[in-house]
Amino acid sequence: MYEVCGEKELKVILALDPGDSISAVARKIDENRETIRRVVNRLEEAGYVACDNGLHLVDQTLRDAGLKFLTAAAATSPPSISEAYVLPQFAGMDYAFTAIDAVYVWTRGGYQVARDPTDYPLFIAVHESDLDAWTAFFDRFGIPTTEERQPADDLDGAIQVVLEPRSQIDTEIVDGRPVIPLQDTVAFANEYYATFESALDMLGRMYDDVDTDAAYRMEPA
């Protein structure tokens, strides 16, 4: 009964949405596909997961129990930065990485700016109606939320989540992470061109349809 209750099994149970493929789950929790395939096989053999037009949990109470265990564990072992990126997948609500994190996601981790291990905000767009629920969700893990980035000295830990409430969220998926559309990300980076000049160059090389303001900012010869 207990043989499949490891860390990766718990992550799969929490991240799995009905109809997901093994690859989709692996990307969501930033794990190797072959590793997750073996995990899913074990969960299927144990009767926790079924495959019928995609994967789904046999009993949704497993997810609720898993989330309670995860929040209890966070009291003694707070989430790391990499774990904080995965946590929103377990909330059961729509969201998209935005602002600095949209640049980070669209550059596939190639560009980071204005954050360090002792001062690390995550930027997430959420539905206005879910704002209180998101605050309650992150509070379970001891992670403060705000609508404006707070100084590190005002916080007890390194991680904070900056929530951007929106009436509508347009989302794309990049490496398993929901993120605002590429053109919206480029518009944000152009607005803060001095900070994101290198990121815009990177995005321009990665994607054919990226239009930056770089040409307009070149000084005349």
Side-chain angles (χ1 to χ4, degrees), residues 22-78:
I22 290 173
S23 295
V25 176
R27 288 192 296 268
K28 282 183 182 180
I29 59 178
D30 200 20
E31 294 282 356
N32 177 271
R33 182 193 181 281
E34 181 59 24
T35 298
I36 297 307
R37 183 190 65 78
R38 293 194 295 268
V39 169
V40 168
N41 285 345
R42 291 196 294 271
L43 289 170
E44 190 172 10
E45 290 172 4
Y48 297 158
V49 168
C51 184
D52 181 15
N53 293 323
L55 303 172
H56 65 270
L57 290 179
V58 172
D59 186 344
Q60 287 296 320
T61 60
L62 287 169
R63 188 180 181 281
D64 298 334
L67 189 58
K68 288 180 180 178
F69 175 84
L70 199 64
T71 55
T76 56
S77 180

Side-chain angles (χ1 to χ4, degrees), residues 2-187:
Y2 303 104
E3 65 272 13
V4 297
C5 296
E7 174 192 354
K8 289 182 174 58
E9 286 79 9
L10 180 61
K11 285 181 176 180
V12 168
I13 287 171
L14 289 172
L16 180 61
D17 290 317
D20 275 350
S21 66
I22 290 173
S23 295
V25 176
R27 288 192 296 268
K28 282 183 182 180
I29 59 178
D30 200 20
E31 294 282 356
N32 177 271
R33 182 193 181 281
E34 181 59 24
T35 298
I36 297 307
R37 183 190 65 78
R38 293 194 295 268
V39 169
V40 168
N41 285 345
R42 291 196 294 271
L43 289 170
E44 190 172 10
E45 290 172 4
Y48 297 158
V49 168
C51 184
D52 181 15
N53 293 323
L55 303 172
H56 65 270
L57 290 179
V58 172
D59 186 344
Q60 287 296 320
T61 60
L62 287 169
R63 188 180 181 281
D64 298 334
L67 189 58
K68 288 180 180 178
F69 175 84
L70 199 64
T71 55
T76 56
S77 180
S80 65
I81 291 171
S82 61
E83 289 169 339
Y85 273 103
V86 175
L87 279 180
Q89 297 280 9
F90 307 154
M93 294 179 282
D94 293 333
Y95 72 98
F97 286 109
T98 188
I100 294 173
D101 277 306
V103 177
Y104 173 67
V105 172
W106 276 109
T107 59
R108 290 179 157 83
Y111 190 83
Q112 277 280 53
V113 65
R115 289 180 292 192
D116 63 52
T118 63
D119 180 14
Y120 205 101
L122 274 71
F123 295 84
I124 299 176
V126 302
H127 288 294
E128 293 173 346
S129 58
D130 292 336
L131 186 61
D132 289 343
W134 277 107
T135 297
F137 174 79
F138 283 109
D139 186 59
R140 297 176 69 173
F141 297 95
I143 298 177
T145 58
T146 177
E147 293 181 46
E148 297 288 342
R149 179 177 178 173
Q150 301 299 305
D153 292 344
D154 293 347
L155 306 173
D156 293 331
I159 302 172
Q160 60 179 296
V161 175
V162 181
L163 299 173
E164 181 185 323
R166 297 186 177 191
S167 58
Q168 178 180 336
I169 305 175
D170 295 324
T171 305
E172 298 189 35
I173 302 296
V174 177
D175 295 335
R177 289 174 172 164
V179 60
I180 62 172
L182 177 59
Q183 294 303 329
D184 292 350
T185 302
V186 171

